[in-house]
Amino acid sequence: MKSIYLGIDISKKTLDICLVDQKSEAFFKIENKIKAIKKLFKQITTLDAEIFIAMENTGLYNYNLYEVLKDYSFNVYVIDPKHIKRSIGLVRGKNDKVDAKRIATFIERNYQDFDCWKPTSEAVQNIKILMSQRRHKVKTRQAIKQQNKELKTVKRTKIISSSMKINLKEIEQINKHIAAIEKLIKEEIANDSVLEKDIERIRTIPGIGSVTAWTLAVKTDGFVRLTNPRKLACFAGVVPFEQQSGTSLKTKPRVSKMADMQLKSVLQMAAMRAVRMDNDLKHFYLRKVEEGKNKMSVLNAVRNKLIHIAMALIKNKSFYENRLVLS
């Protein structure tokens, strides 16, 4: 049976599609709507071939595709845009049609290196949307707080005072929105008993609170992907890599900038909380610092350990006990 590769470039309103087989290529442009996607895939199923479909992860714009693809048995891959960009070398110019072809060509050459996409549960899908909304609200709140901080450095006038009061009211409203979103997240988690129990497990780890646990659940699609702690730690950007070439270049191992910054950020906060509490992680941190290790390097090691402990608890269906031996 022959193979056919589809590269899909996703935008808010449209999907640009490049279909590549052994002899030819074809291009399509359809609306990013479930009805249009169903019509296209119905036609594709008539082809006597094994179908490989690849797309970049663009967040909410992928969701119509996900909704349709869960009803088909295609080989589907969701690729990090940075991976494709770094694989194509030096290029000049781009457009949606070219991007679709690059995605199709990329998956044709590299599909064996990736795991197929699998549909996530409805609860995880909803939590992803809610976490995205929460993240935007938190960023907006932080920006308004920064405005007030800057206004305090200016001579206090009636206009300045009024502006600060408006900002404080807006912050209060955003806090209510965030609380409402968090309530919805908890309700969605309660609808999935397995997910609820897994989140409860990792929340027993020192330093890991609700937001960190929710983020881990979202990034692992409900703890069904990236369950290998080493791969998850690499994804989160907490694994140091050596930089060495011949005798002229050799640096200390450093974490890579190619990381999921959302996950890395919440893990940083979790690690900072953990080393302030009386637990094995704090004792590990203090011991390494006393040995002369760099504090940030040790804190990064704590982030790494948080991931390994969390994945161990999920795998073993157990809860954290403050008696782990940490090397």
Side-chain angles (χ1 to χ4, degrees):
M1 182 182 292
K2 69 176 182 178
S3 299
I4 291 178
Y5 304 89
L6 269 75
I8 305 178
D9 184 69
I10 303 171
S11 65
K12 180 179 180 180
K13 295 183 178 181
T14 61
L15 302 176
D16 284 85
I17 301 164
C18 175
L19 186 153
V20 175
D21 62 21
Q22 295 174 347
K23 298 180 180 179
S24 62
E25 59 186 45
F27 293 91
F28 309 91
K29 192 181 189 78
I30 64 172
E31 290 184 295
N32 191 357
K33 294 183 177 179
I34 290 177
K35 185 177 180 180
I37 297 168
K38 282 184 176 180
K39 183 178 179 181
L40 174 68
F41 288 163
K42 188 176 180 180
Q43 294 172 344
I44 290 173
T45 54
T46 63
L47 301 174
D48 184 20
E50 185 175 10
I51 308 298
F52 295 81
I53 297 176
M55 68 192 82
E56 294 180 339
N57 186 359
T58 59
L60 290 174
Y61 298 159
N62 287 61
Y63 278 33
N64 286 338
L65 274 165
Y66 294 159
E67 186 65 26
V68 179
L69 283 168
K70 68 182 182 182
D71 297 325
Y72 291 88
S73 58
F74 301 140
N75 301 295
V76 180
Y77 302 88
V78 182
I79 312 297
D80 188 326
K82 293 191 292 292
H83 202 139
I84 296 175
K85 183 178 180 180
R86 288 175 176 267
S87 72
I88 59 179
L90 295 173
V91 295
R92 292 177 175 83
K94 71 185 290 295
N95 57 50
D96 295 337
K97 185 176 178 180
V98 170
D99 286 346
K101 182 178 179 181
R102 287 171 179 166
I103 296 170
T105 303
F106 176 86
I107 206 61
E108 180 182 9
R109 296 172 178 171
N110 303 287
Y111 71 87
Q112 66 275 7
D113 297 330
F114 294 90
D115 294 327
C116 282
W117 168 85
K118 295 179 181 178
T120 59
S121 68
E122 185 177 352
V124 172
Q125 192 88 328
N126 290 336
I127 293 168
K128 282 186 177 183
I129 295 171
L130 291 169
M131 285 293 287
S132 176
Q133 293 299 307
R134 183 188 182 279
R135 191 163 56 252
H136 289 308
K137 296 291 184 184
V138 170
K139 284 183 178 180
T140 302
R141 181 178 63 184
Q142 187 58 37
I144 297 171
K145 285 183 177 180
Q146 183 61 31
Q147 288 178 11
N148 266 11
K149 187 176 180 181
E150 292 172 356
L151 286 171
K152 287 180 181 179
T153 64
V154 181
K155 180 181 178 181
R156 185 63 65 93
T157 65
K158 185 177 180 181
I159 292 298
I160 296 295
S161 297
S162 297
S163 297
M164 291 179 69
K165 286 180 181 179
I166 291 171
N167 285 344
L168 288 173
K169 286 182 180 180
E170 192 169 355
I171 290 171
E172 185 180 348
Q173 193 65 29
I174 291 173
N175 286 337
K176 291 180 181 179
H177 292 167
I178 293 173
I181 291 170
E182 290 177 348
K183 182 180 178 182
L184 289 173
I185 292 172
K186 291 175 182 177
E187 290 173 358
E188 287 296 329
I189 292 171
N191 291 333
D192 188 325
S193 58
V194 175
L195 180 63
E196 184 179 30
K197 199 68 177 178
D198 284 341
I199 288 176
E200 183 183 344
R201 295 181 202 285
I202 63 176
R203 284 200 61 198
T204 61
I205 303 171
I208 292 187
S210 294
V211 175
T212 307
W214 297 342
T215 304
L216 278 167
V218 164
K219 297 301 180 181
T220 58
D221 287 344
F223 307 107
V224 298
R225 64 179 287 268
L226 288 174
T227 53
N228 183 314
R230 291 186 178 183
K231 289 184 178 180
L232 182 57
C234 186
F235 175 77
V238 301
V239 178
F241 289 92
E242 185 182 29
Q243 302 291 325
Q244 190 270 334
S245 178
T247 58
S248 60
L249 175 62
K250 186 173 178 64
T251 65
K252 292 182 179 179
R254 296 177 181 177
V255 294
S256 172
K257 294 181 179 179
M258 290 188 291
D260 187 291
M261 300 310 295
Q262 295 168 16
L263 181 55
K264 188 173 184 177
S265 177
V266 296
L267 286 171
Q268 175 71 6
M269 299 305 295
M272 291 174 67
R273 286 193 297 270
V275 299
R276 294 190 185 104
M277 304 163 69
D278 188 17
N279 58 79
D280 291 328
L281 291 169
K282 178 181 180 179
H283 297 159
F284 164 80
Y285 174 81
L286 293 176
R287 185 172 75 251
K288 290 298 181 181
V289 171
E290 288 175 1
E291 291 174 2
K293 301 289 186 181
N294 179 275
K295 288 185 178 181
M296 288 305 298
S297 295
V298 181
L299 200 61
N300 184 68
V302 173
R303 290 189 297 191
N304 200 334
K305 287 183 181 295
L306 287 174
I307 288 176
H308 278 72
I309 295 169
M311 291 300 103
L313 296 182
I314 298 296
K315 180 180 179 180
N316 299 326
K317 302 297 180 185
S318 58
F319 295 88
Y320 179 82
E321 295 182 7
N322 196 25
R323 296 193 299 271
L324 297 178
V325 179
L326 301 175
S327 59

